[in-house]
DNA sequence: CTCACTTCGGTTGTGCACAACTCAATTGCG
DNA sequence: CGCAATTGAGTTGTGCACAACCGAAGTGAG
C-alpha cells in the first residue's frame, strides 16, 4: 500500500499526471526525430489536412497563437514546414509540410499503435476512455 | 459532425487536451488566490502531510527538483510555506505550511468536489476513469 | 466612403516540465 | 579509516501554455 498523498479523488491531478506519463512514453521515439510532443501533434494535423491556417490548427489542438507561433517558427527553422501569407486575405498564414516534413510522416506512422499497445488496455477500455475524456473536454467549453 | 483533425485514436492527445481543459476549469478559483494548478497540487500534499521533504513531494507529484525548486521558492516568497534544512541530514529540505498557508486550505476545501460536479459524471464514471488513468500512469513506470 | 469593430497572427512576460549539470552531504565498500 | 559512489536540492537552458497586449488587414453599418 502506497502512502497517502492528499491527491486522492482529484480527477484533475490524475489527468495531469497521466498526460505527462503518456507524453514521456512518446519522448524516446520523438527525440530521435528531433520533435517534441506538441510539435508532433501539430504535424499530425498538418499531414492530415495537407494545408491548414494557424487559426484552424489552433482550433484542432486547442492552442492559441501565443503557443503556436513560436512552435511553428521552430518547425519552419528545422525545414519541416512552410509558412506562407494568404494572397486573398493577408492576415492568414497557411501551413504546409515540406518534402522533409512529409517524409517524417512515414517514420512515425505506427507510433500511436505501438505505444497504445504498451498500455495494455482492451478496445473497450479505449472506447470508454475516449468517451469520458471527450466529455471532460466538452465540460470545459 | 466536426471536421477530421488527424488526431483521432490518439489517447495521448486526448489526455493532453483533457488535462489542459480540466486545469482551465480550476484556473478562475486559483487565480483568485494567486495560485497556479501545480502550486495547488503541491499544497494539497503539503497540507495532507503537514511536513514533507522536497524529495517526497516530488515522488507524490511525479516532478523533479528542476520543477519543484523554483515552484517552492515562489510559494515561500508568497509567505505560504517555510523551507528549512534538515538538522540530521543537511541535504534534505523540509517543507511546512505557514499560518497563511494553512488558512488557504479552508478556502479551497470544496474545490475538487465543486469542479467535479461541473463534469457531470456518475460515481461509476469516476471510478472507471480513476482505474484507467492509474493503469496508464503505471504503464509509463 | 468612413470609421468603429472584428479577426488573425505575432510578441512579451510568467510559470511550469524536463534534461543535463553542479555541488555538498552522506553512505558504504575495502 | 579513506575514498568512490550515491543522494538531495538547486541551477541552467529549451520549449511549451496562457494571459495580455499589439498592429495590420479585413468587415460592415450609416
Amino acid at each position: 500500500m502506497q502512502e497517502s498523498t492528499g491527491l486522492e479523488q482529484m480527477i484533475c491531478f490524475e489527468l495531469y499526471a497521466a498526460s505527462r506519463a503518456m507524453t514521456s512514453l512518446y519522448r524516446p521515439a520523438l527525440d530521435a526525430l528531433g520533435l517534441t510532443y506538441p510539435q508532433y501533434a501539430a504535424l499530425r494535423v498538418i499531414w492530415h489536412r495537407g494545408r491548414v491556417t494557424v487559426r484552424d490548427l489552433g482550433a484542432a489542438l486547442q492552442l492559441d497563437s501565443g503557443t503556436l507561433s513560436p512552435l511553428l517558427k521552430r518547425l519552419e527553422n528545422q525545414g519541416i514546414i512552410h509558412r506562407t501569407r494568404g494572397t486573398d486575405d493577408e492576415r492568414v498564414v497557411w501551413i504546409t509540410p515540406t518534402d522533409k516534413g512529409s517524409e517524417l510522416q512515414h517514420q512515425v506512422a505506427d507510433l500511436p499503435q505501438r505505444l497504445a499497445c504498451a498500455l495494455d488496455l482492451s478496445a473497450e477500455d479505449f472506447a470508454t476512455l475516449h468517451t469520458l475524456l471527450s466529455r471532460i473536454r466538452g465540460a470545459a467549453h
Side-chain angles (χ1 to χ4, degrees), chain A:
Chain A
M1 192 61 180
Q2 200 182 335
E3 203 172 334
S4 173
T5 59
L7 296 168
E8 292 83 3
Q9 303 181 341
M10 286 190 67
I11 281 303
C12 187
F13 178 76
E14 306 234 330
L15 283 169
Y16 162 73
S19 172
R20 284 187 294 120
M22 193 73 225
T23 302
S24 78
L25 258 158
Y26 273 78
R27 203 180 322 278
L30 293 180
D31 270 359
L33 303 178
L35 293 176
T36 65
Y37 182 76
Q39 288 170 6
Y40 168 69
L43 278 173
R44 296 251 328 168
V45 179
I46 296 165
W47 287 327
H48 185 76
R49 300 258 181 101
R51 177 173 181 273
V52 69
T53 66
V54 173
R55 176 188 148 67
D56 288 347
L57 188 56
L61 299 169
Q62 310 251 263
L63 292 171
D64 65 11
S65 66
T67 301
L68 285 179
S69 285
L71 184 153
L72 293 171
K73 193 190 281 186
R74 283 185 284 270
L75 286 180
E76 188 183 37
N77 289 342
Q78 290 189 53
I80 291 171
I81 60 164
H82 286 304
R83 291 201 295 173
T84 46
R85 284 274 165 194
T87 48
D88 52 332
D89 185 341
E90 289 189 13
R91 288 172 306 179
V92 169
V93 169
W94 286 95
I95 308 295
T96 49
T98 60
D99 290 347
K100 179 181 171 188
S102 295
E103 278 167 31
L104 274 179
Q105 183 171 13
H106 308 301
Q107 301 181 44
V108 293
D110 64 337
L111 204 52
Q113 277 263 321
R114 191 149 52 85
L115 294 178
C117 286
L119 298 182
D120 197 29
L121 298 179
S122 69
E124 211 177 333
D125 289 337
F126 277 110
T128 306
L129 205 44
H130 175 77
T131 303
L132 293 176
L133 294 178
S134 292
R135 271 213 267 167
I136 288 174
R137 247 205 304 161
H141 304 166

